[in-house]
Structures are given as C-alpha cells and as structure tokens.
Amino acid sequence: MSAAAELEEVVFNSRKFREVLADTRLLTLRAEFDSIDWKDSLPTIDWSFALLYASALTSVESERSQSAILRIATACILTSDAQPEHRAAAAALLERSGNHMAVELAEGRGRIPLDAWLELSGALRLEVMRARIEHSVRLSHGGLMAVNPFQGRFWAAVEANDWLSVSAPTSAGKSRIIREHFLEVTRERAKFTLVYVVPTRALIEEVSRDLRREVAEGVGVFTLPWDPDLAASERTILVVTQERLHLVQEMFPHLMVDLMFVDEAQSLAGDARGVLLQRAIERVVRTSPKARIVFASPLSSNPELLIEAAPTAIRASAFVSETVTVNQNLVWVEHVDRKPKQRAISLIADGNRTMVGEIELAQRATTVPLRIALVARALSGGGGGNVIYVNGPAEAEKVAKAVYEQLPQDDVDGEIEDLRALIRTAIHNKYLLADVLGRRVAFHYGNMPLIVRSEIERLFGEGKIHYLVCTSTLLEGVNLPCRTIFMRNPQKGVGNPLSEADFWNLAGRAGRWGKEFQGNIVCIDTDDDGLWPNLPLVRKRSAIKRAVNEGLDDVSRLLAFIRSVDVVHEDSTAEGLFAYLCARALEGEPNDHLLDRIPVDAEREEVHLAINHVVSSATVPSALVARHSGISLTSMERLLQSFRASGSSPAHLELPLPEEPNARQRFQEALVRIGGTMTTVFGSSQEGEDRRKWQLANLIVNWMKGMPLSRLIDQRIASSTITPAVAIRSVMTDIESIARFHAPKYLACYSDLLGVYAAELGMDEIERPDYAMMLELGVSRSSEVALMSLGLSRTATVVLADYVGVDDWSTAEALTWLAAQNLDGLGIPVLIQREVNEVVSTAIRRTAAN
C-alpha cells in the first residue's frame, strides 16, 4: 500500500472524522433546501479538527478523499458558525486541491473576502502559492491558465501522446480544456485540420460558437460539409457529428487530419450511430496515419479500450481521473403512510440511507405530472436552477404545465417576452411553451428548433428561467448547468430504464463547476420498485463498449438480419453492422479479427459466408457502398433491381427539385419504392394510397423549399384530426427523424443508385442535386447554405431568405450582406436580430484582435 493510501486509511478510520464528514453532508444539504422539516437539530462541527484532517488528504488523488475535502471546505464556507480564519483555511484547502473556481465562486457570492488565504500563516500562504503554480499550465503566447488536477494531467498527457483516452466526471472541465488545447494548436501551427466530434447537432452549434469567439482571424470553424469555403481552407477546425464527418470524408476523400477529439466517446456503443462513428474513426486512421486522436468519456472504468486500435509505434495512453470539482447530494423522496400531502426525505451517502426530514406538498398529488411538480416546487422554494428529467416530449409538456400551475404570476421579463414572441411566430401561436414561459417555466427536447433551444439554455443559465423540463437530450452533452435535477421513473427511450452509467452521467449535470457549490439529484417515489429497477446508491464507473463488438459478442440480431435478408424491415443496428462488415470486405480490409469475437464456430462461419456471398455477387459499385454507410448492400441491390425490373426510363424515376410542380407525387413514389426494397422507416406498405408516405413527401418537399415550421404545423393540423399540441410535436419529430435523418440517408442512396441504372442503359451522367444537403439543412439555395455556414440557424436563415437576391455567395460575401442589413426595417424578430448580430460581431472581434 502506498503512503498516500495508508494516510487515507488512517484518516477515514477515525470515527470522529467520519462523524464530522456525515455532519457536513447534512449541513450542506440544509444549505440547499430550507423547506424541509428536519428530523434533527443543526449539527455542531469542530472546524479546526475537520479542516486539519481534510488537509491531510490533499496528497491523495482518490475520489473518496477529493470528495471529502470538497465537502468539508464547502460546508465551512457556507455555514454561519465558522470563524473567518476557518473560512480562510477552507479556501486554502480548495486552492491546494486545484479547485480555484470554487474559491472564485465563494468570493463572488460574498462567502469569503477576496484572497482570504493571505490572512493565514506564512507556511500556509506558501502552500497556496505552490498549489497555484502546480495547477497551471503555460501557453505558447506566454500566459498562464489555471487548471484543476484532471485538466493539468490531461494537458501533460495530450502533449506526450499521439492517442489519448481519458475519463473524468461530467463536471471536471473536459470541454474547456479540450477547447483550450485546440486553440493552442491553432497558435502553434501555420496549417492544420482539427476535427471535434460531438454526439448531437445541438452540441455542434454550442462548440462551434465558443470556438469562433476565440480563434484568430484566418482560422475557419466549419460545421457543414457543404460550406463554400471549406475546400480552400488551410487552417481548419471541423465541428461535426459522426454523420457529418462521414459526409466530409466522402466529399474530401484525401482529407488529412492532424488532431481529432471524440467527445462523449461512450457513444461508440449501442446502435448504428456507434458503428458509423467507429467507421469514421477507422477512415481517419487510414487516410491520416499520423493523426493524433483524443477520446473523452464520463465516469468510465476502461478508457484504455478506445486506444486498442492505435497503430503500432504510436504513443498511446489512457487514464481515469478521480478529480471532484463539485459534490452532489443524492436525495430520495417517498410517500408517508396516511399522510397524502407529506413526503419523507432521505439522504443517500456511501450506499447508506439516512432519513433526514419531511416536506409538505401544497396539495394532494393525484396525477404523476402533478406529483413531480409539487415535489419540485416544495423543495426548490421557488428559486432557480431546477431541471426536471422526463421521458418524452408529451410528458415534458404535461409536467411543465403542472409546474406552471403551482407558481404565482411573475414579473414580466423582456428577454422572456422576446422568446415567447418568437415561439408564437416561428413555431405556432398555440405552442404551450410560450404559455408556461410566462411564469419562468420551460421545456426542452431535441426536436425543437435550434434558436429556441439555445435561447432557453441561455435564459436558464442566467437564472431567468427557474424550471426546465428536459428529456434525454440532457444526457448527450448539452451544457445545462443546474442546481437540482428531479426525476421519477427515468428512462432513455420508451420502456428502457436509465442505466446506472446514464444516471450518473445525468447526475453530473447538477452543480456544474464554477456555477454552484454543489448539486442535488432528487429521486421521486423510490419506494416503488417498479419505477426504479436501477435504483442508485453509490456512484459507479461503467465499462465503455463498442457497438461493433457488442453486435458480434451477441450475434443473435445480426444472424436474424442475415437470415431474413430478403425481407424489408427496420433493425438499423443489425443492418449497420452488416453494412460495416461488407464495406470493409469490399475495401480489402480483413474482418477475421472482428469475426473471431463470435463464440460459436457455426455462427461465425455463417456470418463469414453471408458477407462473402453478398460481396462476391454485388453489382452496386463499391464506392457507393462506402458512401452510404449504414445501408446494407442487400438493400441497395434490391432497390437497383427494382429500377431494372420497372422498365421505366431513369428520367421518370429521377427525384425532382422541391420547387417542381409534381415534386410531392414523385417523392411519394420514391418513398414507396424505398419502402418496398430498403426500409420501413417511412411507414409500412398499404394497399391503395399510402397516406403516411404522402404526408412525409409533402413535409420533405416543403422542408427543402425552406417553408417555415409554423406553416408546416398548420398544414399538419389542417390535414388531420389531431390536436394542435400533437401536431406540433409530430411535425418537429418528423423533421428531426425523417426530414433531417432518414430521408437524406435513403434518398441520397436512391439518387446514386438511379445513376447506376442510367449508366447501365448507356445514358450520360447528369448532375444531380445534393439531396442530403437540402434535407439536412432544410434549404435549397447556395446563398442560404452560406448563411448557415456562418452559424445562423435554419429559422433565422428562412426569415432572411426572402430578402436575398443572390444565389451564389462565399461566406465572406454572406457576412458582408448580413452586416449591411437594416434588420429593424425588415421587421426581423428581436431574437433573430440578436443571432445575426452575434454572428457579425464575432467576425468583427476576430478581425480586430488581429
């Protein structure tokens, strides 16, 4: 046992220390919730003893010790019974632990004087100064950057390795240190291509916006493969999802990457998107064998898995960080027998449960949304920073309305009123979001327009929105620092209970570093076992998995897909895996090491033979198989054969431009043909008219034409019997799932295979529109693409498009046009004006800085 470990055992074996630590947990919990009727009186803490023992742990890097130091120091700073010298010592303790942001937060909120540690003894002042030096890194321009222990270790490791995989808690500051490293590379190199891979489109905008604000002039931050300036850029940062990275690789097959960062790297697991991410990484390695690659994941136990594929002679390393920057209080809320308005409150610590008090609800909780709302209202005390996690958009709206009903009318806030006005104009005048915002309540889910989501996040972060009801988008890296997260029966997808790994990833969003002293996770109705199959007790690290490995370790789904290869169905995970294996075989890459994972010899041979059969009999060009990753070669062959069997001229099968008079009918016909040969995602086949495909064809055409969301919703309401609320949600879901995801995937493949059919008939190749671009972006003109390349949302671009008379711009020309517009005179909504002004001012600041 190391000396540090021995010291840790000595400290934690002290009964008095354990009692003090338990008392500080109760004290910090009391600081968070003043509405609880506490079971016991406020504990009295010997702060001299507590701080002395905590100081002995500063050399111990374990999560247990770091958490204890933070808990004691925070409690001392927050309590009223500590002396000024105790608070100064607590600040010094935080400094020695590298938690400078907690000290700055305490100073900013008046909990301690500025530089309180200067009042300590000379020896302690020297320790603080030494800690500040140790917890800083020197940048190439000569400046010093303060870091925490994880960030310092990362900075040293990323400089010493070509491949690096790190795991740290959600609040450890991974995103910030990665951004700073990207900026450092841009300062040190004349030419470069850096790739920042994020799991969602929402994060593309957040990360690219932050980078654009800080990079020097001449560094291009690109988010779109179709950006008109991308091809000529020599100083390039790409911020993309795995889907957009795949498109970039197709459009620029010889792209050389210097550095790639994969954020939320645990997304390599699970489904077809995980398979695509692995394929994109492999392609980077193949085209750029000297590329440096960095993976980051939260609370994983095996980050070394991600560097197993590193090329030989590459410097590779992985580490798990125990850095704790913010503590979380885990609280259970349960019913009290024969007291329908009472709820028992328990604190969970180190796997142990302590009943600490009760709360009284404002009324009986007769429905689930009302129960969640009443608990959140009672515990929050009307303050801000409250996130309520729910399992879908419809539930989000119900819970938000229930919270709204518990709140008094609030003062009107000008920025919230601007957001309400935009919602009624850009989404729909009957959208519930505009109503609940009147009492500082909002809901947030992935299908909402970017400009609305971003403004909700900003107003919540500034404390103007007090309650935010969220779905699983919160698990995907969206930066929503909050004080308390409430949840009941948490799931990730219908009927899929939240795993422990996802629970603790979500918990890390509570109490973000530098924003709060601590965070709270409130679990409601934990006495109902049916709601909590994975009831959390102790924070655990979970193993990272790869979707490819998972699909081969348990090969049942892949075999089911292979055995029903002539059946059109929807198992995107199995199809994506089979497509991946076939694409590798077509490109001459060996699959043996992958297939060796299949434990049963007969099943391994069956998969091997299926791949060989499909590849050897393929008539689809191998380049198209690689281009349309995720679509199996068998599906492509069926569609190509349907073209051959139709006897139709390719001209009659060609996809139209969205403005053509018969566009809806022709897109519906294409969707019907795709549904008969490739996938059921556009609806199952029906006799006679296929209403669902007609509905989607209409949506696809109008989306590409740039029709505003509000008009798309009005069309859905007019053509069906559903309520406006259901219509709003269904249109936004169809836009994200169909128009922006499945339609680009399959219609682009349809267009390419039609080109193969035309070539077989001896017809000359024609230039086809980029349907993937038009569907992904929801616009069809080059000028509109240039505007979106600057960072404008589709909502803002569509509003401005009516005033654009040019159809071929560079982004510089688009920026010049934007800067010259009289937005007030054009009647542009306030929030869109703000978005435009932010894009223009960011570009001006970058120019002025150079």
Side-chain angles (χ1 to χ4, degrees):
M1 182 181 294
S2 66
E6 289 180 358
L7 179 60
E8 181 180 40
E9 289 304 308
V10 169
V11 172
F12 279 94
N13 282 336
S14 165
R15 179 178 177 181
K16 183 176 180 180
F17 180 77
R18 294 197 304 272
E19 290 173 349
V20 164
L21 187 57
D23 286 344
T24 59
R25 288 194 184 100
L26 292 173
L27 194 152
T28 52
L29 187 67
R30 283 174 177 263
E32 292 295 299
F33 302 113
D34 56 12
S35 58
I36 296 176
D37 181 12
W38 299 100
K39 179 182 175 183
D40 299 315
S41 59
L42 189 69
T44 300
I45 296 175
D46 181 346
W47 289 112
S48 296
F49 171 85
L51 293 165
L52 176 64
Y53 268 59
S55 68
L57 296 174
T58 53
S59 62
V60 183
E61 296 181 355
S62 74
E63 184 176 338
R64 178 172 70 159
S65 289
Q66 294 301 310
S67 177
I69 294 168
L70 180 59
R71 183 77 66 181
I72 289 170
T74 300
C76 182
I77 287 171
L78 293 178
T79 189
S80 59
D81 68 347
Q83 298 300 314
E85 58 268 25
H86 292 143
R87 293 196 183 93
L93 199 56
L94 292 173
E95 291 275 11
R96 289 170 62 189
S97 302
N99 202 334
H100 60 282
M101 290 184 68
V103 176
E104 291 172 5
L105 181 64
E107 291 173 342
R109 294 190 179 179
R111 293 287 181 175
I112 57 174
L114 290 174
D115 295 326
W117 61 276
L118 290 175
E119 302 302 318
L120 297 172
S121 67
L124 288 177
R125 292 200 303 271
L126 285 174
E127 284 194 25
V128 171
M129 287 187 283
R130 183 177 62 190
R132 287 190 169 186
I133 294 171
E134 289 178 353
H135 296 121
S136 63
V137 296
R138 184 169 297 279
L139 302 176
S140 59
H141 55 54
L144 285 176
M145 177 175 62
V147 294
N148 63 36
F150 158 71
Q151 293 174 326
R153 186 176 178 185
F154 171 88
W155 196 267
V158 80
E159 294 292 331
N161 290 279
D162 302 304
W163 281 44
L164 178 66
S165 178
V166 301
S167 175
T170 303
S171 57
K174 295 189 294 293
S175 298
R176 176 175 175 263
I177 198 67
I178 287 292
R179 184 173 70 248
E180 291 295 337
H181 181 61
F182 266 49
L183 293 172
E184 186 74 345
V185 173
T186 66
R187 290 189 286 262
E188 293 178 330
R189 298 190 183 184
K191 296 181 180 180
F192 51 79
T193 297
L194 315 181
V195 179
Y196 195 125
V197 183
V198 296
T200 65
R201 277 194 295 263
L203 275 174
I204 287 178
E205 302 308 322
E206 180 181 318
V207 172
S208 63
R209 182 174 58 246
D210 289 343
L211 285 169
R212 282 182 175 127
R213 288 170 178 164
E214 298 188 56
V215 296
E217 184 183 17
V219 177
V221 179
F222 300 95
T223 64
L224 304 178
W226 313 281
D227 191 305
D229 296 341
L230 177 56
S233 175
E234 293 186 339
R235 311 185 76 205
T236 302
I237 300 178
L238 281 165
V239 184
V240 288
T241 57
Q242 53 263 54
E243 288 83 7
R244 289 193 185 176
L245 176 56
H246 172 71
L247 288 172
V248 170
Q249 290 171 326
E250 284 299 315
M251 295 172 68
F252 304 95
H254 302 296
L255 179 74
M256 296 295 293
V257 174
D258 297 291
L259 168 65
M260 178 168 70
F261 169 58
V262 182
D263 196 10
E264 303 291 334
Q266 72 277 10
S267 58
L268 274 161
D271 57 15
R273 297 192 73 225
V275 176
L276 179 60
L277 178 55
Q278 179 159 332
R279 187 62 175 154
I281 293 170
E282 290 174 355
R283 194 164 178 177
V284 167
V285 174
R286 188 171 68 247
T287 58
S288 307
K290 294 184 179 180
R292 297 167 56 217
I293 301 181
V294 180
F295 301 91
S297 56
L299 288 172
S300 62
S301 59
N302 61 332
E304 65 278 359
L305 174 78
L306 301 178
I307 60 173
E308 289 178 351
T312 56
I314 285 292
R315 301 171 301 167
S317 180
F319 70 85
V320 173
S321 173
E322 302 286 342
T323 297
V324 179
T325 56
V326 179
N327 275 318
Q328 279 95 27
N329 301 309
L330 178 58
V331 174
W332 290 359
V333 178
E334 300 178 345
H335 83 285
V336 178
D337 288 343
R338 294 179 296 279
K339 295 182 179 180
K341 293 172 62 177
Q342 298 293 114
R343 290 295 183 272
I345 307 298
S346 297
L347 175 64
I348 312 303
D350 298 328
N352 300 312
R353 171 182 175 179
T354 304
M355 201 282 212
V356 297
E358 293 185 356
I359 56 169
E360 182 171 355
L361 307 183
Q363 63 186 71
R364 289 169 49 220
T366 54
T367 67
V368 169
L370 183 58
R371 185 178 309 170
I372 297 171
L374 288 169
V375 170
R377 176 75 172 99
L379 283 175
S380 68
N386 305 292
V387 163
I388 302 174
Y389 181 88
V390 296
N391 300 326
E395 185 179 355
E397 295 178 15
K398 290 177 182 178
V399 171
K401 185 64 163 68
V403 174
Y404 169 90
E405 294 294 342
Q406 303 306 310
L407 300 174
Q409 191 66 42
D410 208 331
D411 295 335
V412 175
D413 179 89
E415 291 190 315
I416 288 180
E417 289 304 306
D418 290 341
L419 177 56
R420 296 175 77 190
L422 178 68
I423 289 166
R424 292 187 175 114
T425 301
I427 300 181
H428 202 269
N429 58 10
K430 293 183 178 180
Y431 195 27
L432 181 65
L433 180 58
D435 298 334
V436 297
L437 276 166
R439 295 182 186 173
R440 300 183 185 273
V441 181
F443 48 84
H444 178 292
Y445 43 78
N447 296 334
M448 294 166 60
L450 171 65
I451 188 173
V452 173
R453 289 202 314 269
S454 298
E455 186 65 3
I456 287 172
E457 292 164 16
R458 185 183 72 83
L459 293 174
F460 180 77
E462 294 181 0
K464 294 192 173 186
I465 292 174
H466 293 168
Y467 297 88
L468 184 54
V469 188
C470 290
T471 62
S472 58
T473 53
L474 192 60
L475 288 168
E476 296 168 336
V478 174
N479 185 22
L480 281 176
C482 67
R483 178 184 169 206
T484 304
I485 296 177
F486 299 87
M487 63 183 85
R488 178 186 183 275
N489 185 28
Q491 300 178 15
K492 188 179 181 182
V494 178
N496 183 24
L498 210 63
S499 67
E500 283 197 68
D502 282 334
F503 176 88
W504 291 112
N505 185 15
L506 180 63
R509 310 288 169 192
R512 297 303 289 269
W513 191 32
K515 302 291 185 180
E516 299 289 345
F517 290 110
Q518 56 196 326
N520 311 294
I521 306 98
V522 177
C523 302
I524 302 171
D525 292 345
T526 49
D527 47 338
D528 187 337
D529 294 338
L531 301 178
W532 291 93
N534 301 320
L535 187 61
L537 281 168
V538 179
R539 185 160 75 168
K540 298 178 182 177
R541 294 183 178 273
S542 300
I544 298 174
K545 299 178 181 178
R546 295 180 185 268
V548 170
N549 294 356
E550 287 184 282
L552 295 172
D553 291 342
D554 179 3
V555 78
S556 56
R557 288 179 66 178
L558 179 60
L559 287 173
F561 178 82
I562 289 171
R563 291 165 183 169
S564 60
V565 74
D566 293 327
V567 178
V568 177
H569 56 85
E570 185 187 359
D571 184 346
S572 60
T573 301
E575 180 176 18
L577 177 56
F578 190 61
Y580 165 81
L581 294 169
C582 290
R584 286 178 58 91
L586 279 168
E587 293 173 0
E589 297 181 49
N591 282 322
D592 293 347
H593 68 290
L594 295 171
L595 298 185
D596 283 345
R597 301 187 68 93
I598 302 174
V600 179
D601 291 345
E603 293 178 342
R604 186 185 318 115
E605 183 64 15
E606 183 176 355
V607 174
H608 177 73
L609 290 174
I611 295 170
N612 284 348
H613 172 72
V614 170
V615 168
S616 62
S617 60
T619 61
V620 174
S622 59
L624 293 192
V625 178
R627 182 181 304 171
H628 300 290
S629 181
I631 302 178
S632 74
L633 184 51
T634 51
S635 296
M636 295 187 198
E637 291 287 353
R638 280 198 301 265
L639 179 59
L640 183 55
Q641 182 56 36
S642 78
F643 290 149
R644 294 164 178 156
S646 69
S648 298
S649 165
H652 291 106
L653 300 170
E654 194 73 59
L655 295 175
L657 288 167
E659 65 270 19
E660 294 183 39
N662 61 348
R664 292 170 183 80
Q665 178 182 343
R666 290 166 65 184
F667 271 103
Q668 185 207 22
E669 292 169 354
L671 295 182
V672 169
R673 188 175 295 276
I674 290 170
T677 56
M678 302 185 85
T679 181
T680 60
V681 295
F682 303 111
S684 57
S685 297
Q686 303 172 6
E687 292 187 8
E689 184 181 11
D690 191 327
R691 296 184 59 84
R692 174 60 173 163
K693 292 188 177 68
W694 175 258
Q695 183 184 66
L696 293 179
N698 183 68
L699 177 74
I700 285 168
V701 168
N702 287 327
W703 174 253
M704 288 190 291
K705 288 168 66 176
M707 182 176 285
L709 176 59
S710 57
R711 286 183 59 194
L712 294 172
I713 292 169
D714 280 334
Q715 284 187 345
R716 183 69 57 91
I717 293 172
S719 63
S720 62
T721 58
I722 58 178
T723 65
V726 173
I728 292 168
R729 288 195 301 270
S730 68
V731 168
M732 289 195 294
T733 297
D734 282 346
I735 286 171
E736 288 301 308
S737 176
I738 300 298
R740 303 191 71 181
F741 186 70
H742 291 303
K745 175 180 176 180
Y746 287 102
L747 289 174
C749 185
Y750 175 102
S751 181
D752 281 348
L753 290 175
L754 188 60
V756 174
Y757 173 52
E760 290 176 350
L761 297 180
M763 301 178 64
D764 293 335
E765 180 69 22
I766 63 171
E767 185 177 350
R768 293 178 174 80
D770 191 334
Y771 294 101
M773 179 196 74
M774 291 191 290
L775 287 161
E776 164 83 7
L777 303 184
V779 297
S780 60
R781 299 167 60 196
S782 299
S783 56
E784 295 164 335
V785 175
L787 289 172
M788 295 184 73
S789 296
L790 291 170
L792 284 185
S793 65
R794 192 239 184 203
T795 303
T797 300
V798 166
V799 169
L800 292 167
D802 288 340
Y803 307 103
V804 176
V806 180
D807 198 29
D808 188 14
W809 268 341
S810 67
T811 51
E813 291 169 330
L815 184 64
T816 299
W817 182 87
L818 272 183
Q821 298 312 299
N822 175 6
L823 300 178
D824 280 328
L826 296 177
I828 304 298
V830 171
L831 285 185
I832 293 179
Q833 290 191 39
R834 186 181 303 158
E835 183 181 350
V836 171
N837 290 334
E838 172 67 15
V839 167
V840 173
S841 62
T842 297
I844 292 173
R845 283 197 303 271
R846 289 174 58 193
T847 302
N850 291 274

